[in-house]
Every structure is written in structure tokens, then in C-alpha cells.
Amino acid sequence: MTAGPEESTAAAFGFGLPPDMLAVILDRLPDTMISVGANGQIEWVSPNVGRLLGYRADELVGQDAGIIYAQPSDRRTVLELVSSGKGDAVRLEFEAKRKDGQGAWVVAYGCAVFDAKGAFAGVRGVLRDISENRRMRKTLEDSEDRFRRLSDVTSEGICIHFQGKILDCNRAFESLFGYSRVEFESMLAWNVIHTDDVPLAKEMVRQQHQKPYEVRGVRKDGSVFPMEIHSKESWMGGLAVRVTCLRDMTEQKKAEASLRLLSQAVEQSPVAVAVVTADGTIEYVNPAHHQMTGQVADQIIGRPFAEMYPGQAKSWFGDMWQSLRRGGDWEGEIPVTQGDGRLHWQRIFASPVATQSDDITHHLVVIEDVTLRKEQERKILHQAMYDGLTDLPNRSLALDRLTVVIEDARDNGCCIALLFVDLDDFKGINDSLGHEYGDELLILASERLRDSVGEGGMVARFGGDEFLVILSDCSPGQAENAAQAIVAAFSQPFTISRRDLITTASIGVALYPEDGRTPQTLLRNADIAMYQAKLAGRNRFCFFTARMNEEAEARLRLESELRRAVGTEQLFLHFQPLVHVDSGHVAGVEALLRWNNPELGSVPPDRFIPQAETCGLIVPIGRDVLWQACQTAKPWLECGHPELLLCVNVSPRQFQDGGFLDDVAQILRETGFPAANLELEITEGLLLRERGDIDGLLHGLHAMGVKLAIDDFGTGYSSLSYLERYPFHTLKIDRSFMVGMLERHERKVLVDTIVAMATGLGLKVIAEGVETVEQLARLKAIGCDIAQGYLFSRPVPAEQVLALLETPFGTEPAITKPPAVLH
């Protein structure tokens, strides 16, 4: 029995479907199936072939397959392609011939089949009608050259699609999404749009929307980017297609974000920003502009920019505007008086804004309020050039001013005067009462100097308690008048915290050009003259002379030689005995420093010790004196004089040295000298400092067992309070009280009072400078304990001390002088 069409189909294609279901499927499929035998005859064709070729299926079965080819050569091409596939499906397009003779373009997918022995058994394939596509493609191909020339030169992606299917595109479209043109042929336009945005894109097509809109594009690699679509309907070959332009908005979005950020930054900037048109009209100001200038934006936009800079700022503004009109930038600082009446400073950065054609359309003006910085700069400059305590010009500004004044005097042929002013005894007041008193005294002193000099000169603080007065175009007589006025002003006491303090002034005067032609020379010579005023008794002024210069050079030489002498045998000790007034026995010895220089010879102590104090050598010298004295006196204690007292002077500067207490302890350890036999003599001026470190030092020495003596009592600010407050053992009456003690009633009363006071406080009393038996008798009568002076012995070398210790001195008036060997 012969098989029906469905059975033949099942046999030909291997379908296992029921015949009725298979018939429905084959009839409704858009593609036509065909089977061609090895002999080239059509064995079977699906019933829907009529829609494609116009034949019924039974009309084609048994016919040579060449009946369906419009071009015989296409049949050979098909067979060659199918044979080369060796059973795999191949694709090709060819023009088929319909029953009515019309052509129909099809795309064929076919494969060769083979029997059980491997022999060729024919071809099985599927035919699809692509005539409409071919017509559209032909229409596009007709204008393709023109389309390519137009579309490939643009950077925007362009595609043509029909009912969503991409028909063609330009190179920019390929580059934009990363697909090739061939790949696009099997894609829909929606495939390059983010799935979330596809509904919007379809709706825009449905509405025939022609304005640009934004969606997200998706590249072949999956990356997403913003893009703008501009699509319009167009007719090609009778088809209503969509021509769509797509623009990658990534860079635009970045630029817009940057612009928004910049705009936000300008709006929120603490610096004022203004945009001014080329003709000088304000077009924009940010909020900071209002905060800085107090001018409301609505009130100044549209007004001339120049109105913001009236008065003294007008000239500055004119210079700025000229630079901008020439196309240049401008930067500067402008003083502006604002509505509050106060002067403000604005730092302005202005530059022209030009178009691509270099036409200047606007100017950008950035304004910063630098009033605070200006004020800080002024303060810093003032601090750098003026003294913080007295508000006088400082050393640096004074020297600059002196240089300028000298240059002017040189050009104009006039004279100037430089006064070097030093306060007398300021250090004693500062040390005794504290720096608060000292600072207040300097402030009051500076005011008196300004009042004394007046408007005719410049007063400066040179440093410490030293001041300079510069008098320009000044004669010697005028300089003398100024110096006298200063001396007179300082003769009156200064009242600080209800306490009257007296500090006079010593002044050195140097004149230009005779005393120096440079600031350095003039300053040095004024300093030398001031030093001479100090030596002459203070509270006076001295003009510089050539002889002063020689003396200054001598002092420098003395200091140089003294520095070389420290630690050498040039500095050595002599000792002067301290004698019990009642018994005449030696109670102790005072160590006295001597200097014998190879070039200068024997230099007296009153000459080199002040120099050592001034240059700071007194600390190492004092340390060496104490060590030598203890080392030298130790054997005398061991030779039968265990109660012998060793007295050593300590200078204020040495006593205030931070390591003094440790130095004393170390020297006592190294030399083995008993602390109880050591008495340190300090001047009473040191006690007036009212500082805790003085208390600590004195009580520290007392705790060691060292005795303490007040030296030169009665010559300074003698006070009963510190005699009670500090642990002193001895009070020494200054030698100046011995002179005229017997002849002058007042001096005798003073000595009597000092001895009575000290005795009442339990202190021993030593009288210095005793030279006559009458003085000694008077001291004995009033109860003085110990005497020291030439009556007993001059200071002697260490090798003569034992002889003094073994010889008691008479205390009766009949003894007029000690043995000659002791002088």
C-alpha cells in the first residue's frame, strides 16, 4: 500500500508525530520543507509550498528540482554547497521561479543525506521567502553609496530599522555598540537598549516621537552608557522605516556633572565671585559676594562694576580695568570703605573670558577679603620692628633708621647725634623686686625718654635696659640739651605699686660725622661714651672722645688677657686674717683673688673683677677660687687650727648660676674641707630679689653646714627683714664706715647701731678696713666681734698664713702697727 503525504513526510524527515497534527504544523509553518532524491527529482514538499511558489505539493512531486530555480546555475551552486557540507546544514540565497513565472527570493537551509552504505541519497532542506527583504535591501542598495558617504563621516551612530529589525547602520553605530554589521542583521533595535528602558523606546516609536530623549545603551561587552536617541520616520522603497541617530552622552554627562560641581562650588565658595560683561556690567555674583560686601545681588546685577569701587579704590580699579580691556589678567589688593565705615582690603584676581574666536565677552572677578590677613601682617611687621614691652622701635628698626639718617646727613651735609642710654642700677631693681617691677620700670622709662626728646628725635629700645636716641640734623648743643633733659627726667623717682624707685640714666653721645661715618662706628662710640659715664659716677652724660676709644680698647685687651688667664697660675690667692677684737687671736682668713699678667703686670682686683662680671668669666673664676681656697686651707686645720674660718666671696652672678649648689658640694667632697669651717660672703643686693631660688640656695648651703655672711652691709638696700628671714651667721660692716668713724658723729652712730642690731639678732659682726688702734678700740667698746684690715696685715701669700696664725695680735691702743713681715 502506498504511503500518504503525512507518512511520506514522517519517513522523509523522521518525525514521530501523528499525521493529523503533522498536517496542521506543516500547513501553518512559514517555511517550506522539501526533499530531493539522488536523481534530482522532488520526492516530497510540504503543503504550504503554494504560498511560496504557487504550486500545489502534488504538482511538484516527481518533477525535476530544476523547476524551482530561476537561474539553472543556482542549482549547481546549491548542490556544490550541500555536498561540501558533508551532511551539515548550509545556508544560501537564490532566486526561485514561481508557477506564474514571477521570481521569488528565498533563503535555503539544506543538507545532504546518505543511505546505510554511505551513498548519496539526496537533499533535505527548508525554503523561506525573503522577497520583501530583498526588495527593501535592493532599495537600500540603490542609495547605499550616498548613505555611506553621509553616515560614515559623522560621529553619531545611525541605524535604519523596520518593525524593530535593524536593516543597516553606519560605522559609528558599529563602534558605539561593538557589533559588526553582519551581527546586526539578526538583531533587533531593542537589543542595544537597556531592558528597563525598552518600554520607553517602544512607546516613543509608537507615538512617532521626533524629539531627542535619553535611554541607556548596552554594548556587546555588557557595559552600560547613557545615550540620546533622535528618531524619525522615513520612506524607503515604499516601506515606513525609522532612521535613528544615537549619541553617546558619557562625556557630556561627565561635563555636565563637572559643570554642576563647579556651579555648586562657586555658589558655596567662601570667596566672592562676580561675572562682568565686556562693557563692565555686573551679570552674576555668588552668595559669598553679598556676605563679603553687604550688597544684595538683586540690587547690583545690571549695574556698572565700577560703582563698587569709589573713593580711594577708584585708581586701583582703573588700573585693573585697563589691564582687562587689553586682554590681560590683573591681580592686586584694593582698599575699600564699605557701608560700615570701616576700611576693608580685597584681594582681586580678574581675567577676561574669551570665546573660541578670541572675542572677550565677559570678565571673571574673584574677590577675597584679606582684611584680617592685612591686620595680621601689620601686627607681625609691628612685632618684628617694635619692642613688645615698650612699643618703641626695636634694635633692628633703630639701626635701619640710623642708616637712613646717616645717608640723608651725608647728602645734605648736616650733623646727627646718637645717644646711648643705659639705666643705672636697673639690674639690682629687676633682680631684687622681680621682673614685674622691672618691666613696669622700663615702660615708664621709655615714656620719659619720649617726653624728653619730643618730636625731634627717635627713641628706640636697643635691648635690656639700653635705649637709643637718634637726633637728625642736630648740632652738638642740641645733643647736649637733649642729654641734659634725659638726665633731669630720670632724677625723679618712679612710682610702681606705691613704691618709689630711683634709677638714673648714664648717657653716651656720639656725633656724625666726627665720631663715626657708619652706623656701626657711631653706635660703638656712643656705647663707649656711655661706659665712660658709668665709670665717672653714673647719672650723667659723656660725649665721645678719642681717649675713650683708647680706654675701650684697653678694656678689650684686659678681657682677652683675662680669658687666657682663667685656669692658669696667673690667677692666685692671697689671704687676709680676721682677728678677734677681744683676744687678738686669728679667727679666720679671707681668700682674696690676685692676677699677675706677663704683659700687664699686677692687675688690681677692682679693675679685673668688674670686667670678669661683665663678660661672664666670673663663674668659672669663682669656682676655681673656691676650690683653691679649700684645697689650700685644709692643711692649716690639720696643723692645730681646727676652728679656723675660711671666708670666700661669691659674686651675685656666680651665686645665681644654676649649678652653684652642686659646685660647692662637689668642691667640699674633692678637697675634704669641712663645711662648718667655710663661710661664703654674699652682697646684700642679692637678697632683694624675692625669688624662691634664693631661698632654696641659702637654705641648701645652710643644710650643708656652710656658714653665710652678708658682705658690705650698709652700702645698699639694708633691711632687717632678710636678716631674720635667712640663716646668716655673720654681718660684715663695709670699710667705708671706718673712714671718719671717730670724727663724724653720724657715721659713729651708724656703726654703733649696726653692731647693736646684729648682736641683738645673734649675728657675729666683722668690721672691714680697720687701720688704726683707735678704730679698733672703738669697735671693742661697742662689742664688735672681729676686725679685718691693714692694722693687722695686708693680704699675704698662702705660705705666710701659718706664721699669722701662730702670732696673736695686741688689741690695746699702744700697739700702733703689726710686725713688718705681715704687711
Side-chain angles (χ1 to χ4, degrees), residues 20 87 94-95 238 455 621 681 761 772:
D20 55 345
F94 65 90
E95 185 180 10
E455 300 295 330
I621 290 176
E681 300 178 359
L761 292 172
T772 67

Side-chain angles (χ1 to χ4, degrees), residues 457-768:
M458 172 184 179
V459 179
R461 186 181 178 193
F462 193 66
D465 60 341
E466 297 174 336
F467 297 86
L468 294 182
V469 177
I470 302 173
L471 303 173
S472 56
D473 195 12
C474 175
S475 67
Q478 292 172 320
E480 182 175 357
N481 292 337
Q484 286 176 342
I486 295 172
V487 171
F490 279 75
S491 64
Q492 300 299 318
F494 294 88
T495 302
I496 303 175
S497 298
R498 299 181 181 179
R499 176 178 291 188
D500 287 343
L501 302 176
I502 297 178
T503 178
T504 55
S506 295
I507 306 171
V509 184
L511 302 175
Y512 173 89
E514 53 262 40
D515 296 334
R517 294 179 177 271
T518 66
Q520 295 77 16
T521 305
L522 210 59
L523 182 64
R524 178 176 60 87
N525 290 340
D527 186 22
I528 291 173
M530 183 276 296
Y531 187 83
Q532 190 62 37
K534 292 275 191 187
L535 295 179
R538 305 184 178 186
N539 191 27
R540 66 193 65 228
F541 64 90
C542 286
F543 278 81
F544 173 78
T545 63
R547 182 178 178 182
M548 293 180 186
N549 194 40
E550 295 172 359
E551 293 173 351
E553 291 177 356
R555 287 194 299 272
L556 289 175
R557 182 186 177 194
L558 181 68
E559 179 181 335
S560 177
E561 293 294 331
L562 185 58
R563 290 186 181 278
R564 282 195 286 266
V566 175
T568 69
E569 294 181 355
Q570 290 186 35
L571 295 173
F572 55 91
L573 297 180
H574 277 184
F575 298 86
Q576 189 173 31
L578 308 175
V579 180
H580 282 292
V581 173
D582 289 337
S583 64
H585 290 93
V586 175
V589 291
E590 180 179 2
L592 301 169
L593 183 62
R594 297 293 183 263
W595 179 22
N596 189 19
N597 183 267
E599 295 185 13
L600 302 176
S602 179
V603 184
D606 59 358
R607 183 180 175 195
F608 73 83
I609 288 181
Q611 189 71 18
E613 287 272 6
T614 302
C615 66
L617 290 174
I618 196 65
V619 174
I621 290 176
R623 188 184 303 117
D624 188 55
V625 166
L626 183 58
W627 192 92
Q628 284 190 47
C630 291
Q631 182 74 11
T632 303
K634 175 79 178 328
W636 302 335
L637 305 182
E638 298 168 351
C639 293
H641 303 281
E643 303 297 326
L644 183 69
L645 190 66
L646 174 64
C647 299
V648 180
N649 280 287
V650 178
S651 79
R653 181 168 293 188
Q654 181 187 1
F655 190 82
Q656 296 168 34
D657 183 69
F660 177 70
L661 204 61
D662 293 335
D663 287 344
V664 174
Q666 182 179 355
I667 290 171
L668 292 176
R669 285 195 304 270
E670 291 178 354
T671 61
F673 193 83
N677 291 78
L678 177 63
E679 184 170 81
L680 298 180
E681 300 178 359
I682 61 175
T683 59
E684 58 177 333
L686 185 66
L687 305 176
L688 300 176
R689 295 185 60 195
E690 297 184 5
R691 286 174 47 180
D693 55 348
I694 299 297
D695 289 14
L697 285 171
L698 292 175
H699 286 94
L701 292 170
H702 180 69
M704 286 185 197
V706 175
K707 293 181 173 59
L708 299 171
I710 300 179
D711 195 15
D712 299 336
F713 185 82
T715 60
Y717 300 90
S718 302
S719 173
L720 294 177
S721 62
Y722 56 72
L723 292 178
E724 180 184 12
R725 177 177 178 182
Y726 299 116
F728 288 105
H729 301 80
T730 306
L731 184 151
K732 296 188 75 173
I733 303 175
D734 187 67
R735 68 184 67 249
S736 62
F737 286 93
M738 295 299 106
V739 179
M741 180 184 67
L742 301 180
E743 294 80 11
R744 295 174 58 183
H745 176 71
E746 296 84 356
R747 187 154 295 183
K748 181 174 67 173
V749 171
L750 282 174
V751 174
D752 293 350
T753 303
I754 292 172
V755 173
M757 175 190 65
T759 303
L761 292 172
L763 302 177
K764 291 188 178 297
V765 181
I766 300 177
E768 297 179 308

Side-chain angles (χ1 to χ4, degrees), residues 196-205 213-215:
D196 293 344
D197 296 341
V198 169
L200 171 64
K202 288 184 176 180
E203 180 64 17
M204 294 295 102
V205 172
Y213 62 94
E214 293 183 19
V215 294

